Amino acid sequence: MKVHPIVYFLFKSMVRLALVLIFIGIPAAVFYQRVHGIGFGAKEALGQALSSPTLEVSIGHLSINPFMGLVAKNVRVQERGNNARALASINQVAISISLGELMLRRVVVDSLSLREADASIPLPNSPDDRRVTIKGINAEIILLGDSMRVSSFAATIEGIRILLTGEVQNPFALQMPEHGKNPNPPGQNAPFEKVLRFLSETSFPRGEPLIQGTFEMDAAHLESLKFPDFSITCPMLNRKGVSFSDLKIQGEYTDGRLRLPIIQIKDAVGILQASGEWERDTAQAKLSIRANLNPAPIMKSFADSDHPREEPHFQGAPQFEVEVTADFTKANAGLLVTGSLLAPGITYKGTELREVGCSFAWADQCLHVRDISFQAKRGSFAGNLWIAPGDFRLQVQTTIPPTDLSPMLDGPTREFLDKMQIAELPEISLSLRAPKLDFAAVKGTGHLKLGRTAMRGAWIDSGTADLEIADSCVNYKNIVILTGPGKGTGSFAYDVGRQEVRLENIRSTLIPYEVLMWIDPNVAKTISPYRFRSNPNVAVQGKVHMKLATKNNLSIQVESPDGMDYDLLGKTLSFGKTSAKVLVIGNKVDASVTRAPLMGGEVTLNADVSIDPKAPFFTADVQLERVNFSKLTKLYFNYDDSKGVVSGRYNFKTRMGQEELMTGNGSIRIEDGNVFAIPTLGPFSSIIGAILPGVAYNTARLATADFTVADKKVSTKNIEIVGSGFSMFGNGDIYFLTGKLDMDMRLNAQGVPGIVFFPVSKLFEYHSNGTFSNPGWSPKIITRIPVFGGAKKAEDRNP
């Protein structure tokens, strides 16, 4: 059959045109619509088809993908009429429309497909417009009239994998709350922010957590939301170096009731198992928990990293059981919590507590912890605790030495306990009550029984006292303290508010130094030189300030029938029956000893001691009356042949611990003794016998002198010795630390011999630069006299 040339030409031209359209036109059109999108109002019409009365959907770019079909990009969902309130942003969505409806010039969406899409949702009322990112969205959504079926939804939200299927009735009837009404209170987003922060600080080494389930909802009635079945699983999670495994939660939410029959998580030593439920209509909830996890790492993982603190260490997993009920229609959620805790051991700041247990209950903002018990290294503790608004109560029975718990404490309390030693278990009972957790508001009573206990090294054998606590003060009443043969009674107040210690009606036969070591070591130090040979009778009244010594006001009266020993210049003076009164006024201690027997005579002492560490001075005025001179020289100079008695006075001042630097003045009178028996003056008996024949040996029985003390020496300018028929006058220095002498003596005869020898009395002047026991006297003008038996020549004298 022969084809007409015109027909052939037209056919060939149409074939060529078709080929051009297929290989050039279509690709060009596809490229154009990909770059510029589909125009003619298509994206606006499609956005309108996806919108609802309350939601508005806008499409940034609409194009046709050969593999996905119609693709909308940069999709924005916002509240209608409020462009600033974006509810969601999605990077791309594949949309399938009904061709039948399109032929009728209507745009109806049949299905939506998301492939590896990303979206972001803002937190409501977030001041910094913080958004939650949803990544890797893969979803199939089918629209059938008034129903939207989610065949599958898979996405990752903040590191958590979500798998959902479900159906939404009346999706376009969703009503959004009116913006500006019932504004959210400040901090409403705190739970969201805490969850996001928790997730950001948590890692999942064995894979991301998985939340999966099915849901049903009528968008016109949000309360119809149901999750017939859902589960949360995670093989392992790690937070701040603490690992948990096998997280599993199964539950359902139907008819306004949430049921969680399985809640489970494990750590390295134990497991937590729980179950609970919540009902929307009644707003009631309940939760049961049983666990034996190790709480220390859990507490560490949830602790505030900005304020780190030392956490307790648990020796083995504690057993923890709790039942919680709540009624959210009531104030404070009508919370009721009951439970118990039993821990094998807890170590906190190096202090170990064993068999720790308690039962507890919380209701109406009231906490009751009963049957609190634990064992320490020594002793046990039992108590009950009640905390409510305006009402705090504590009852305690314990035999644990407070010193064993001091590492758990800080500040002044620990400093005080660190000064104590408790050898035997005490018995302490307390019943306290206060409107708030403040020591100043605490009132209560108690009883204290101590065994062998020491404060700053001062030991007591036993002690008992009744306690009364009020106004920041602990009052110890009816005190009875026993130490050896000694006993102390009275009242003692430790006033933290006023920072002072008050003593009332203290009567004691205890050693005063040991008693004062419990009160103030500075005051005790001032009386440490006074050592009683047996327990004295002591009466104490007054107060001692804990910080300001200038506020001290304390009176101590001491009666010692058996006397006491006192250290002076490195030697011990032994006094007989002694009466003394000590006044602590400000930072000074005034001590007065009236007529204490000493070496056959009597001594009166008035001392003023400064307890100011910046000026630790010590002044005293000592008076002697007919004290055995032989015993006194034996004590200080190891010589006991001097005989006689000595009287005098001595007023001096020195610095505590530096007695060799003392300064002072005084006078001395020796009588009824053999003055020449003193080693220093003994050689003069021979000199007098040679010069004045017939004058007997050791007839000098009176000696007087005034003296001053400074620069480690005793200086005198008026020594006078009176004997039968002669007098001696002298001056010089005695170095009391070394016994060295630097002294001059002049001999004068009395009566007619005195008149005869007066013109040449200068010839009878002598000098000594020896020692107290070996003076080595030599004449100052006549260089040698045989009676001296080898006295030094003038040129041999020490300068």
Side-chain angles (χ1 to χ4, degrees):
M1 178 179 175
K2 188 174 181 181
V3 180
H4 193 280
I6 295 176
V7 175
Y8 177 76
F9 174 76
L10 291 175
F11 176 75
K12 186 170 65 174
S13 298
M14 291 178 66
V15 171
R16 289 177 178 176
L17 180 59
L19 292 174
V20 170
L21 290 174
I22 292 173
F23 293 102
I24 297 178
I26 293 177
V30 171
F31 176 78
Y32 179 84
Q33 62 88 27
R34 172 169 291 200
V35 174
H36 299 283
I38 299 175
F40 311 106
K43 64 180 182 180
E44 289 79 7
L46 188 57
Q48 185 64 31
L50 293 172
S51 299
S52 71
T54 57
L55 297 178
E56 182 177 357
V57 179
S58 61
I59 299 174
H61 186 276
L62 183 64
S63 63
I64 297 176
N65 187 298
F67 304 100
M68 299 176 62
L70 199 62
V71 177
K73 295 184 177 180
N74 301 326
V75 179
R76 177 184 173 93
V77 182
Q78 61 193 29
E79 185 180 358
R80 185 175 291 280
N82 186 3
N83 294 334
R85 195 178 183 193
L87 301 179
S89 297
I90 307 172
N91 62 343
Q92 68 175 17
V93 180
I95 304 174
S96 175
I97 63 176
S98 173
L99 295 179
E101 296 292 336
L102 186 62
M103 295 297 292
L104 299 175
R105 303 180 65 84
R106 292 195 298 265
V107 178
V108 177
V109 177
D110 284 341
S111 65
L112 301 174
S113 297
L114 288 83
R115 296 290 182 270
E116 297 300 326
D118 296 331
S120 63
I121 301 175
L123 289 177
N125 297 325
S126 176
D128 55 357
D129 196 26
R130 187 173 182 182
R131 307 178 74 85
V132 176
T133 302
I134 306 175
K135 298 182 178 180
I137 304 174
N138 290 282
E140 293 293 339
I141 303 173
I142 300 173
L143 299 173
L144 297 173
D146 292 335
S147 174
M148 181 178 72
R149 179 175 298 170
V150 180
S151 300
S152 64
F153 178 89
T156 301
I157 302 177
E158 298 295 333
I160 300 177
R161 189 66 176 165
I162 309 292
L163 297 178
L164 295 175
T165 61
E167 186 173 349
V168 179
Q169 300 293 330
N170 301 312
F172 296 106
L174 178 66
Q175 295 291 326
M176 299 297 297
E178 294 186 30
H179 188 61
K181 290 187 178 182
N182 299 322
N184 294 321
Q188 185 200 33
N189 292 328
F192 294 99
E193 295 173 352
K194 288 182 178 180
V195 170
L196 294 176
R197 180 179 178 182
F198 174 83
L199 292 174
S200 67
E201 296 175 346
T202 304
S203 62
F204 308 100
R206 296 182 185 174
E208 55 197 12
L210 175 63
I211 299 177
Q212 58 184 352
T214 60
F215 68 91
E216 300 174 9
M217 185 180 71
D218 185 344
H221 304 282
L222 297 180
E223 67 276 7
S224 65
L225 176 64
K226 298 180 181 179
F227 282 91
D229 178 51
F230 68 88
S231 65
I232 302 173
T233 58
C234 180
M236 177 174 284
L237 60 90
N238 186 294
R239 188 174 189 271
K240 296 183 179 180
V242 182
S243 295
F244 303 93
S245 63
D246 298 332
L247 170 64
K248 183 178 181 180
I249 301 175
Q250 288 185 347
E252 62 174 286
Y253 178 69
T254 57
D255 301 326
R257 176 175 291 181
L258 174 65
R259 298 182 181 88
L260 299 172
I262 298 177
I263 303 173
Q264 176 180 297
I265 191 171
K266 298 178 180 179
D267 68 359
V269 298
I271 184 172
L272 179 146
Q273 295 176 318
S275 62
E277 64 178 55
W278 169 74
E279 189 169 353
R280 182 190 62 211
D281 295 337
T282 61
Q284 294 182 348
K286 62 181 180 179
L287 176 67
S288 298
I289 300 174
R290 184 171 185 174
N292 62 342
L293 302 177
N294 185 357
I298 298 176
M299 295 167 61
K300 180 180 178 182
S301 66
F302 285 92
D304 188 352
S305 58
D306 296 332
H307 301 87
R309 59 183 180 181
E310 186 172 350
E311 301 292 346
H313 173 70
F314 289 79
Q315 302 168 6
Q319 300 291 330
F320 178 78
E321 294 184 7
V322 63
E323 296 285 337
V324 182
T325 61
D327 186 345
F328 295 98
T329 63
K330 298 180 179 180
N332 303 305
L335 199 62
L336 172 62
V337 182
T338 60
S340 62
L341 170 69
L342 178 61
I346 301 175
T347 301
Y348 181 65
K349 292 186 177 181
T351 301
E352 180 183 352
L353 306 178
R354 304 184 307 276
E355 301 177 16
V356 181
C358 69
S359 299
F360 56 87
W362 168 273
D364 298 328
Q365 291 186 298
C366 300
L367 173 64
H368 184 201
V369 185
R370 62 185 179 86
D371 300 329
I372 306 170
S373 63
F374 57 83
Q375 303 284 332
K377 184 178 180 180
R378 298 185 296 166
S380 61
F381 177 96
N384 295 296
L385 174 65
W386 171 269
I387 300 177
D391 188 7
F392 169 85
R393 306 177 199 176
L394 176 65
Q395 293 179 336
V396 172
Q397 296 279 346
T398 182
T399 58
I400 299 176
T403 52
D404 292 3
L405 304 179
S406 67
M408 302 172 62
L409 306 174
D410 296 310
T413 303
R414 177 169 183 176
E415 293 178 4
F416 177 79
L417 292 177
D418 287 345
K419 298 171 184 176
M420 295 185 68
Q421 295 172 271
I422 301 179
E424 298 176 3
L425 298 185
E427 295 179 13
I428 304 172
S429 62
L430 288 173
S431 179
L432 307 177
R433 188 166 186 171
K436 57 183 178 179
L437 290 174
D438 185 350
F439 183 67
V442 173
K443 297 182 182 298
T445 60
H447 184 75
L448 173 66
K449 181 179 180 180
L450 297 176
R452 187 158 174 77
T453 306
M455 169 64 75
R456 303 183 183 93
W459 288 90
I460 65 171
D461 293 334
S462 66
T464 60
D466 296 323
L467 306 181
E468 292 184 4
I469 302 173
D471 303 323
S472 299
C473 180
V474 181
N475 290 281
Y476 298 82
K477 295 189 174 183
N478 303 320
I479 297 174
V480 177
I481 297 175
L482 301 176
T483 299
K487 179 179 179 180
T489 61
S491 298
F492 169 83
Y494 188 84
D495 196 327
V496 178
R498 296 182 179 180
Q499 290 289 292
E500 65 184 22
V501 176
R502 295 188 296 274
L503 299 99
E504 298 179 4
N505 300 320
I506 300 294
R507 298 293 183 269
S508 168
T509 56
L510 304 173
I511 301 301
Y513 173 79
E514 296 179 354
V515 174
L516 289 173
M517 284 298 291
W518 282 71
I519 302 171
D520 190 329
N522 292 325
V523 177
K525 184 178 179 180
T526 62
I527 68 168
S528 60
Y530 304 90
R531 300 187 303 280
F532 297 91
R533 289 192 287 275
S534 64
N535 290 33
N537 297 312
V538 180
V540 183
Q541 186 83 17
K543 66 179 182 179
V544 176
H545 202 271
M546 300 178 192
K547 294 186 178 296
L548 300 176
T550 54
K551 295 185 177 182
N552 292 339
N553 188 354
L554 187 67
S555 172
I556 304 173
Q557 183 71 42
V558 181
E559 297 288 341
S560 178
D562 294 333
M564 68 176 185
D565 295 332
Y566 173 69
D567 292 338
L568 179 64
L569 298 177
K571 302 296 182 180
T572 299
L573 298 174
S574 296
F575 295 88
K577 180 180 179 181
T578 303
S579 297
K581 185 175 182 179
V582 179
L583 297 177
V584 183
I585 306 297
N587 55 13
K588 290 185 178 181
V589 178
D590 294 329
S592 176
V593 179
T594 57
R595 305 186 69 82
L598 175 66
M599 298 180 182
E602 289 184 342
V603 176
T604 300
L605 171 66
N606 291 294
D608 186 355
V609 183
S610 171
I611 58 176
D612 185 353
K614 296 181 180 179
F617 290 104
F618 172 48
T619 63
D621 185 13
V622 184
Q623 294 187 11
L624 305 179
E625 185 175 345
R626 300 188 66 80
V627 173
N628 188 301
F629 190 52
S630 176
K631 293 181 179 180
L632 191 63
T633 55
K634 173 63 177 178
L635 176 65
Y636 280 95
F637 305 106
N638 196 28
Y639 187 80
D640 59 357
D641 288 338
S642 52
K643 312 302 180 186
V645 294
V646 59
S647 301
R649 68 169 187 82
Y650 179 33
N651 183 279
F652 66 90
K653 179 179 182 180
T654 186
R655 192 178 181 93
M656 298 291 288
Q658 298 178 334
E659 287 78 5
E660 70 277 5
L661 300 181
M662 72 167 60
T663 59
N665 60 80
S667 62
I668 188 171
R669 177 184 179 90
I670 303 172
E671 54 187 325
D672 300 334
N674 300 326
V675 177
F676 289 150
I678 302 174
T680 306
L681 302 176
F684 281 100
S685 62
S686 300
I687 297 173
I688 295 173
I691 299 175
L692 301 172
V695 176
Y697 174 74
N698 68 16
T699 56
R701 296 185 179 277
L702 176 64
T704 62
D706 297 323
F707 61 88
T708 60
V709 177
D711 301 326
K712 303 180 184 180
K713 63 183 179 180
V714 180
S715 301
T716 179
K717 296 181 179 180
N718 61 351
I719 297 177
E720 182 177 355
I721 300 172
V722 178
S724 299
F726 68 93
S727 296
M728 297 178 63
F729 303 94
N731 62 82
D733 302 324
I734 301 175
Y735 293 84
F736 54 82
L737 292 181
T738 62
K740 184 176 176 58
L741 298 178
D742 184 8
M743 185 171 291
D744 295 326
M745 293 293 292
R746 176 167 56 88
L747 177 63
N748 279 358
Q750 297 177 355
V752 175
I755 298 174
V756 174
F757 287 103
F758 179 76
V760 294
S761 60
K762 286 291 185 179
L763 298 178
F764 302 110
E765 290 187 3
Y766 300 87
H767 177 79
S768 171
N769 60 355
T771 63
F772 190 83
S773 58
N774 186 20
W777 290 100
S778 61
K780 296 179 66 175
I781 298 177
I782 304 175
T783 59
R784 189 173 182 85
I785 295 180
V787 296
F788 277 75
K792 295 181 181 179
K793 298 181 180 179
E795 60 269 21
D796 294 334
R797 296 174 187 162
N798 293 328

